[in-house]
Amino acid sequence: MSSVESQQEQSSQSDPSPSPNSCSSFELVDMDAGSLYEPVSPHWFYCKIIDSKETWIPFNSQDSQQLEEAYSSGKDYNRIVPTDGGRYDVHLGERMRYAVYWDELASEVRRCTWFYKGDKDNKYVPYSENFSQVLEETYMLAVTLDEWKKKLESPNREIIILHNPKLMVHYQPVAGSDEWGSAPAEQGRPRTVKRGVENISVDIHCGEPLQIDHLVFVVHGIGPACDLRFRSIVQCVNDFRSVSLNLLQTHFKKAQENQQIGRVEFLPVNWHSPLHSTGVDVDLQRITLPSINRLRHFTNDTILDVFFYNSPTYCQTIVDTVASEMNRIYILFLQRNPDFKGSVSIAGHSLGSLILFDILTNQKDSLGDTDSKKDLPSIFMDQGDTLTLEEDLKKLQLSEFFSIFEKEKIDKEALTLCTDKDLQEMGIPLGPRKKILNYFRTRKNSMGVNRPTLQSPAGANMSNIPKESEFYSSTNGLDVGIGQVPVKYPRLIYKPEIFFAFGSPIGMFLTVRGLKRIDPNYRFPTCKGFFNIYHPFDPVAYRIEPMVVPGVEFEPMLIPHHKGRKRMHLELREGLTRMSMDLKNNLLGSLRMAWKSFTRAPYPALQASETVEETEAEPESNSEKPSDVNTEQNPVPVKEEAPPIHVGMLNGGQRIDYVLQEKPIESFNEYLFALQSHLCYWESEDTVLLVLKEIYQTQGIFLDQPLQ
């Protein structure tokens, strides 16, 4: 047995997790020989399944350093190290990485020093920690003794040969080569072996700022996949977060250098999995036709989410899941970040934006109010009624049921919220249920509802004033009488600063529900801002501003390009449009001049009285005629200086609708890029920059250079 093989056998029999403080062969080399050898610098990786393949991804430099320090302390077995901005925890003893805020399969963690190139994707794969130590010790002996051509056998009987410091190869065994116990042959295409992470092609980020300025919850739309690559909400939000970190470095560089800002944390909220774990998929499978199986499965898993939200049963499940998840994550976030003093915002994509919109419209003004009457919308308050519930039941000759309501702690206000099913579960018969529901609903509708009154001066024209049902109440939530699903909306334990809607169908759903107009004075009870962001070719997106100002036609706000100015093809299009308008105006001016001179000189008898008056008011000199044409073109720039349009208080008096600039290739065929346009927001720098700009603007921090 050779010395290398003997050393390998002794190393394999040693402790698989040697303490970094223990004495190793690195310390036994004399100083003269060891001067040529430098220990390898380790880097930590984690394994993730991507496209059904194991992919090893490096931790950022900051996390890898923290993991190495914890490992070097010699007490790593029970150590838990937060990584990735606190979104994951690494259990060093288990060598496993766990997600903190959402459900995700745990991934293996490895301290890596030696790598070999894979066969298919040409990405480097780290060797195990034990075998990497064997490789490092063999490499050290080869360097110090200047003896190369070292051959090692890996645990899975693969051959690694160290020819020289720059040439090290890995041979895979050929099937059938060791049927009689012989050593595996050195055949097949060799793999490249590298020592140290600095010698392989891999991107290692520096890390994220520790300071968190703002927290944003992101709610997904229909289906489990959020983009064309069928990625989950977690993966898409990871991209959104990465884009935001890059933009903070480029567009908020001064604020970062002055340590005014850190970063914005984006956390995903998943409601699809809890909804489809209720057993509804099993029920649907029993009634689904066997033909076109994949398409029907896609429909059941994706498109039906819209119908689920319009069902009272599943709508209650969805809103409860979204609100409870945001509350749970918020509490957990504060526990892990006790120094956080920033605000919270929410963002929703597609149907997720509608869910958040309905939740926000049904919040209460005061989060700390415990008074039961103040906790209810004023529409349910009987302001002029002084009778108690017992007296009302006595009036209905149903006093025997008062003990049931008293046991369930139901008062008059709570009774107005009860449904027939609720009363049935309490054990109240059908006849008394109908009498109770009819009595309290009639009294609720007949009492004075606390809504804004539409007052007009005497003699004013009332025909143009919308009906009261066309408004959101300025003090109440959305009235279920206009078609909203009657569910009990949970309360959020915080007040969101801004609500961002991406590719949102809110306007369409409100219109389908029967709402024709939003009161310009209406605002969310607990949220100050609202931005409706969409791509111009998004087939699911609808505008909001025309519902606030229905009598005025105006364009949405154009979101600036993150590199400044407009996209080149849009500027070219506007330039050509402006040029054609100028040519048209000049042509019309020339024809008008020619017609006037023609009708004035040869045929004076044909001039009408209006023409005579017009020519008398105009100068007679032909040299002044071009100035007449120019004066007719002067009002064009005046129109551009029109006063800003007031679109109500839904966004604190600011504009609501914001449209992205399409890419040049997208402008060739709108239909071809329609689906992609609905899923483009996760990687859109323009969208992320608008979100960051509005968030930091509330803190008095602005872009380094305003975008035009």
Side-chain angles (χ1 to χ4, degrees):
M1 180 181 296
S2 64
S3 61
V4 175
E5 293 174 348
S6 176
Q7 179 186 0
Q8 176 186 352
E9 181 178 355
Q10 293 176 3
S11 176
S12 62
Q13 295 174 358
S14 62
D15 185 7
S17 300
S19 173
N21 297 328
S22 61
C23 189
S24 64
S25 58
F26 300 108
E27 303 172 356
L28 302 179
V29 182
D30 59 74
M31 295 298 296
D32 294 336
S35 60
L36 301 175
Y37 170 77
E38 293 183 1
V40 64
S41 298
H43 196 93
W44 291 77
F45 282 65
Y46 64 92
C47 183
K48 196 169 185 179
I49 305 299
I50 300 178
D51 298 333
S52 302
K53 296 185 297 183
E54 290 187 354
T55 302
W56 287 90
I57 302 174
F59 286 95
N60 61 58
S61 301
Q62 183 179 356
D63 291 340
S64 181
Q65 183 178 356
Q66 291 181 355
L67 291 169
E68 184 63 22
E69 291 176 356
Y71 171 82
S72 301
S73 65
K75 301 178 181 179
D76 64 325
Y77 186 76
N78 294 323
R79 288 290 298 273
I80 298 178
V81 180
T83 61
D84 301 274
R87 296 181 296 274
Y88 290 89
D89 281 342
V90 172
H91 295 234
L92 278 180
E94 303 176 14
R95 292 294 196 271
M96 298 298 290
R97 172 177 175 266
Y98 298 92
V100 174
Y101 298 106
W102 55 82
D103 293 332
E104 183 178 311
L105 292 177
S107 52
E108 181 185 353
V109 174
R110 188 174 294 179
R111 182 176 181 264
C112 304
T113 53
W114 285 77
F115 307 83
Y116 67 90
K117 183 177 289 188
D119 292 330
K120 298 180 180 179
D121 50 10
N122 289 328
K123 293 183 179 180
Y124 282 92
V125 180
Y127 288 103
S128 65
E129 294 186 29
N130 295 334
F131 189 66
S132 294
Q133 183 177 355
V134 174
L135 286 170
E136 182 65 19
E137 293 176 355
T138 306
Y139 177 84
M140 180 198 65
L141 291 176
V143 170
T144 55
L145 301 178
D146 196 21
E147 295 179 359
W148 293 95
K149 301 290 184 180
K150 299 290 185 179
K151 182 184 296 186
L152 294 90
E153 183 178 342
S154 68
N156 54 353
R157 298 184 63 82
E158 297 179 350
I159 300 299
I160 296 91
I161 301 178
L162 309 182
H163 293 282
N164 56 60
K166 296 184 179 180
L167 180 59
M168 296 174 283
V169 292
H170 177 135
Y171 292 95
Q172 289 181 287
V174 179
S177 60
D178 57 345
E179 293 179 354
W180 303 99
S182 59
E186 302 171 10
Q187 299 182 12
R189 185 177 180 181
R191 297 173 172 178
T192 303
V193 177
K194 294 293 183 180
R195 174 180 178 265
V197 69
E198 63 275 3
N199 293 319
I200 64 175
S201 57
V202 62
D203 294 330
I204 300 177
H205 302 284
C206 297
E208 303 177 12
L210 298 178
Q211 176 185 340
I212 300 178
D213 307 316
H214 204 87
L215 175 63
V216 180
F217 294 112
V218 185
V219 181
H220 65 87
I222 61 174
C226 296
D227 65 355
L228 292 177
R229 287 177 282 176
F230 299 99
R231 297 186 303 169
S232 65
I233 179 64
V234 174
Q235 295 170 309
C236 291
V237 172
N238 286 343
D239 274 354
F240 202 88
R241 188 187 305 108
S242 299
V243 174
S244 71
L245 292 174
N246 294 332
L247 291 176
L248 285 175
Q249 296 175 359
T250 56
H251 291 71
F252 292 87
K253 189 175 182 179
K254 294 180 180 179
Q256 279 199 334
E257 291 177 351
N258 298 331
Q259 296 183 350
Q260 291 179 289
I261 63 173
R263 63 183 176 92
V264 178
E265 180 62 279
F266 297 90
L267 296 179
V269 177
N270 182 12
W271 56 266
H272 181 270
S273 299
L275 171 65
H276 288 263
S277 63
T278 59
V280 63
D281 289 349
V282 178
D283 298 335
L284 287 173
Q285 189 61 33
R286 289 198 298 264
I287 61 176
T288 301
L289 300 180
S291 58
I292 52 175
N293 183 47
R294 293 185 179 180
L295 179 58
R296 296 187 191 276
H297 176 73
F298 173 79
T299 302
N300 292 347
D301 202 36
T302 304
I303 300 178
L304 286 187
D305 286 348
V306 179
F307 298 96
F308 286 144
Y309 189 66
N310 288 323
S311 165
T313 301
Y314 295 107
C315 180
Q316 187 70 63
T317 301
I318 293 174
V319 296
D320 286 345
T321 301
V322 172
S324 62
E325 273 294 287
M326 290 196 295
N327 289 339
R328 179 190 67 83
I329 296 175
Y330 180 67
I331 294 174
L332 182 58
F333 177 82
L334 293 182
Q335 292 174 351
R336 297 176 62 88
N337 301 272
D339 298 331
F340 176 73
K341 299 180 181 179
S343 302
V344 183
S345 293
I346 56 178
H349 175 244
S350 190
L351 183 62
S353 64
L354 178 65
I355 298 171
L356 293 176
F357 186 88
D358 289 342
I359 291 177
L360 288 179
T361 56
N362 290 275
Q363 296 298 296
K364 309 300 182 296
D365 292 328
S366 177
L367 294 177
D369 197 353
T370 57
D371 189 349
S372 61
K373 288 196 173 184
K374 293 181 180 179
D375 192 44
L376 293 171
S378 58
I379 190 174
F380 297 136
M381 299 295 296
D382 191 349
Q383 300 172 349
D385 190 10
T386 59
L387 296 178
T388 63
L389 176 59
E390 185 177 7
E391 292 172 342
D392 281 331
L393 292 176
K394 185 177 180 180
K395 186 177 180 180
L396 294 174
Q397 298 181 354
L398 299 174
S399 300
E400 64 271 20
F401 299 108
F402 176 72
S403 59
I404 298 178
F405 295 121
E406 188 177 21
K407 180 181 178 181
E408 297 290 339
K409 297 182 180 181
I410 294 179
D411 54 9
K412 293 176 63 173
E413 288 78 16
L415 188 56
T416 58
L417 299 173
C418 291
T419 62
D420 183 79
K421 184 178 180 181
D422 295 331
L423 298 181
Q424 183 181 3
E425 293 177 352
M426 297 179 194
I428 300 177
L430 177 62
R433 292 202 308 267
K434 297 298 183 182
K435 292 176 65 176
I436 292 173
L437 292 174
N438 181 67
Y439 175 78
F440 283 97
R441 287 176 180 173
T442 303
R443 291 186 64 82
K444 180 184 70 175
N445 294 331
S446 62
M447 62 188 178
V449 178
N450 184 19
R451 291 184 178 178
T453 57
L454 302 177
Q455 299 179 354
S456 301
N461 184 9
M462 302 292 291
S463 60
N464 295 329
I465 299 179
K467 296 180 181 180
E468 190 177 5
S469 61
E470 297 178 359
F471 285 92
Y472 271 124
S473 169
S474 297
T475 56
N476 300 324
L478 187 62
D479 187 358
V480 297
I482 63 170
Q484 188 185 21
V485 179
V487 298
K488 298 179 181 179
Y489 287 91
R491 298 179 64 177
L492 302 177
I493 60 178
Y494 53 86
K495 291 185 177 181
E497 188 75 20
I498 307 175
F499 168 35
F500 299 98
F502 306 141
S504 172
I506 293 175
M508 180 269 290
F509 270 87
L510 295 181
T511 303
V512 171
R513 289 172 178 174
L515 189 69
K516 298 181 180 179
R517 186 182 178 190
I518 299 176
D519 184 358
N521 295 322
Y522 175 77
R523 64 179 67 188
F524 294 124
T526 59
C527 186
K528 299 178 182 178
F530 174 40
F531 290 85
N532 182 37
I533 304 170
Y534 61 91
H535 191 281
F537 303 155
D538 190 340
V540 181
Y542 290 82
R543 292 191 63 183
I544 298 293
E545 291 176 339
M547 299 188 68
V548 183
V549 192
V552 182
E553 293 186 3
F554 54 95
E555 296 295 325
M557 292 291 292
L558 187 67
I559 299 177
H561 192 260
H562 67 283
K563 293 184 179 179
R565 303 183 60 180
K566 293 182 180 179
R567 293 184 183 270
M568 185 175 297
H569 71 287
L570 295 180
E571 289 188 347
L572 180 61
R573 183 190 304 171
E574 290 183 358
L576 293 176
T577 303
R578 193 181 303 111
M579 185 185 302
S580 63
M581 291 298 297
D582 292 342
L583 291 175
K584 180 180 179 181
N585 291 335
N586 291 334
L587 179 60
L588 291 176
S590 301
L591 292 176
R592 190 178 295 110
M593 275 196 314
W595 173 253
K596 288 180 181 179
S597 61
F598 174 76
T599 56
R600 181 167 48 245
Y603 304 103
L606 297 180
Q607 296 180 4
S609 60
E610 294 82 4
T611 307
V612 173
E613 295 176 358
E614 181 180 0
T615 54
E616 289 178 353
E618 294 175 352
E620 295 295 333
S621 177
N622 292 335
S623 61
E624 296 179 3
K625 291 301 179 181
S627 63
D628 295 339
V629 179
N630 294 332
T631 56
E632 294 178 357
Q633 300 176 7
N634 288 337
V636 175
V638 176
K639 293 182 180 179
E640 297 178 358
E641 299 177 358
I645 301 173
H646 182 70
V647 291
M649 300 304 298
L650 193 56
N651 192 24
Q654 301 182 55
R655 294 292 300 274
I656 301 173
D657 293 336
Y658 287 79
V659 61
L660 292 167
Q661 302 179 35
E662 72 273 14
K663 297 178 181 179
I665 191 174
E666 294 174 343
S667 60
F668 287 107
N669 193 320
E670 300 177 1
Y671 297 94
L672 184 62
F673 295 94
L675 180 59
Q676 178 179 337
S677 300
H678 183 59
L679 306 172
C680 72
Y681 307 99
W682 307 115
E683 299 177 350
S684 170
E685 292 92 344
D686 300 347
T687 301
V688 179
L689 186 58
L690 176 63
V691 172
L692 295 177
K693 180 176 74 71
E694 295 300 329
I695 286 176
Y696 281 112
Q697 189 170 293
T698 60
Q699 305 176 14
I701 299 174
F702 303 92
L703 294 170
D704 293 340
Q705 295 181 353
L707 299 179
Q708 300 294 332

